[in-house]
Amino acid sequence: MKKILIFVMTTICLCACGDKKSSDNSKLKTPAIADFNYKADAFADMEILRYRVPEIEKLTVQQKELLYYLNEAALQGRDILYDQNGKYNLCIRRTLEAVYINFDGDKNSEEFKAFETYLKRVWVSNGIHHHYGNHKFTPEFSQDFFINEIKKLPETAFAKTGLQADALISTIVPIIFNPEIAATRLNQASGVDLITTSASNYYENISQKEVEDFYNKMKNPNDETPVSYGLNSKLIKENGKIFEKIYKVDGLYSEAIKKTVYWLEKAAAVAENEQQKSVIEKLVSYYKSGDLREFDEYSVLWVVDTSSHIDFINGFIETYGDPMGMKASWEANVNFKNLEASKRTEIISGNAQWFEDNSPTDKQFKKEKVKGIAAKVINVSILGGDSYPSTPIGINLPNSNWIRAAHGSKSVTIENITEAYDQASHGNGFAEEFVWSNVELDLMNKYKFQTDNLHTDLHECLGHGSGKLLPGVDPDALQAYGAAIEEARADLFGLYFIADPKIVELGLLTNNDAFKAEYYLYFMNGLLTQQTRIELGKNIEEAHMRNRQLIARWVFEKSADDKAVELKKRDGKTFVVINDYKKVRQRIGELLAEIQRIKSTGDFAAARNIIETYAVKLDPVLHKEIIERYAKLNIAPYKGFVNPVYTPIFDENNKFIDLEIDYTENFVEQHLRYSRDYSNLPSFN
Ligand code: ZN
């Protein structure tokens, strides 16, 4: 699932208590789109963007103070993710940064430039493996260069690594340069031990079988409110004994968690209302106890808080980085409601039961009563942990199935991030290269921003929250295939309904043809252009990408006879052509019914079969063509962000009086500053 987040769908009042007048100073004025510099940096396969934080100037003084403390809490766990992504990542990052800062040679040399690019990629991925593809980066600078630079460093420069120069070199050089070692962070290939072949750091010295046995023993099939087993710990075998090291104050990652708690406690003191205060205090209590029951209590408090204007995510939430899909990476963001855009999601949520009742799934898999889907559109003020520098654009949390069933979920679309994506893509030539004709181009120009946002809303507000498991079905039954199946379910739900006349009736789209822009784009992406993100010869590993290819390929293959969707060649180039949108929608409905059946019944064999058949493999000839066409456009396939810089202003009595925001920090400056000010963990944990 994709998850997370926040706010309210009903009221538009800004807060329940506190100072309601907004301070209209100019330090927070949001620049106009036309005046804003969205592009911050570009290297390797990345483009780094900036995002605006519209309407921040409308917050009250108290809300600004709260926002500032939550922002700080969102940055304190940065080191945790590096360590989770790989045992050597913190040591490597610190060494790279020391070399970078102390380098006094020719900064225009090929070698130094390659070194700098490598460091930037490590920052983007919070480690030495690609954040999306999971493979280890190949350094394009030489081993000799690196070793020489380390030897030149003063001892103090790498003190934080905890190693002397020689030990440091013998420890990290093979990890960086030997392609055989730690080749992938996250192995999802079937038929091998997923734990021992993955370089992520959620397990140590233990086999997949031992992990499965350990957690199967913990699970009680009669427990109707099971905790998310293993979510906040590393599982280790030592001297034949298997045990969890819990992420908590005085446990694993204690130093970073303590700092996070410090800022959360300050935030609790200036919360907007009692309910929000109890949410923050419960999170603090959970960070101290590490007790997953408390995490569930926190999640319930959080999901029912729909009246606060400011909201946040801070914790061990998503499990995409664990090959077993159990252990969560640390992530954070802080956000507040975009009032105007939220009207759209309020309409969707207000009609949730209609959508559930009218979905093409089997009746026994539907929810009789869809509860509490709180949907809203937000603007983020900071991104942290696994949401930085690359972030999802929509979030739906919590992940716990029983909490979702009993209390609902919060769903958000992050509009200031989608705005940045959209603004940065104008005029890059992509659509002109890959779209079949002016008919589709025209549809996309007219409706794409609208339908894209709407599809994300439907995916998050309704898709993930729809349907139910049959009684007794293990929520983890689909194992490594669970994430892709869940994403497919949510995407299909959105695709099916975006073409429904009900959408126009509700005023969510202005035109009965608008959905075609989304369909065309979706199939173009799933059948062709998302392949630009995969290296030649590699398979698709990431859950969202698997889901997109699954849907596009399945519908395409079912259309072999009637050509409702087809691939056509023109001048040696392959294009998607959709000849019959109605039939395509009908097949989307059929696939949704099947995916829901797989999920509801926990049919592992069917999940494996459908994903391995449609979602994983690429046609090497087509893949090569797409990559070559794309390469000519010189567009980075991945985007990341720099955060704005916030500076609090206090009066002579140390009372918070205002907040300044600055958008000009660049990518390198930001990471060096974060590594200086928010680096809380030892190199080895
Ligand atoms: Zn999702």
Side-chain angles (χ1 to χ4, degrees), residues 43 89 174 186 209 257 301-302 309 449 456 645 669 676 679:
F43 49 87
N89 280 337
L186 177 64
K209 174 83 172 54
I257 295 173
L301 287 172
W302 175 82
H309 185 61
F449 188 63
T456 306
V645 182
E669 289 163 349
R676 188 188 69 216
S679 193

Side-chain angles (χ1 to χ4, degrees), residues 340-356:
E340 187 56 35
S342 293
K343 286 175 190 159
R344 189 174 74 218
T345 51
E346 284 160 17
I347 294 172
I348 293 171
S349 296
N351 289 277
Q353 193 66 51
W354 183 91
F355 287 104
E356 183 77 359

Side-chain angles (χ1 to χ4, degrees), residues 1-3 320 394-396 456 459-460 463-464 483 486-491 544 547:
M1 302 180 199
K2 178 64 256 189
K3 352 329 226 23
Y320 300 111
I395 306 165
N396 183 313
T456 306
H459 173 117
E460 301 293 347
H464 282 306
E486 177 56 23
E487 291 313 320
R489 205 172 69 88
D491 259 2
H544 296 79
N547 130 54

Side-chain angles (χ1 to χ4, degrees), residues 41-49 78 81-82 85 89 93 96-97 116-133 137 185 384-391 636-642 667-668 670-671 674-675:
D41 204 347
F43 49 87
D45 56 0
M46 293 298 303
E47 181 171 23
I48 304 293
L49 306 178
R78 176 171 177 258
L81 182 66
Y82 278 84
N85 280 343
N89 280 337
R93 188 195 79 201
L96 295 168
E97 287 168 351
E116 182 180 45
T117 297
Y118 183 85
L119 173 57
K120 286 179 175 182
R121 300 187 84 179
V122 168
W123 283 331
V124 160
S125 296
N126 295 281
I128 59 171
H129 298 90
H130 195 278
H131 68 292
Y132 216 76
F137 296 128
R185 176 168 67 90
D386 219 354
S387 294
Y388 171 84
S390 146
T391 174
Y638 301 98
K639 311 279 189 232
F641 292 87
V642 288
F667 184 71
V668 172
Q670 183 147 96
H671 282 275
Y674 284 180
S675 290

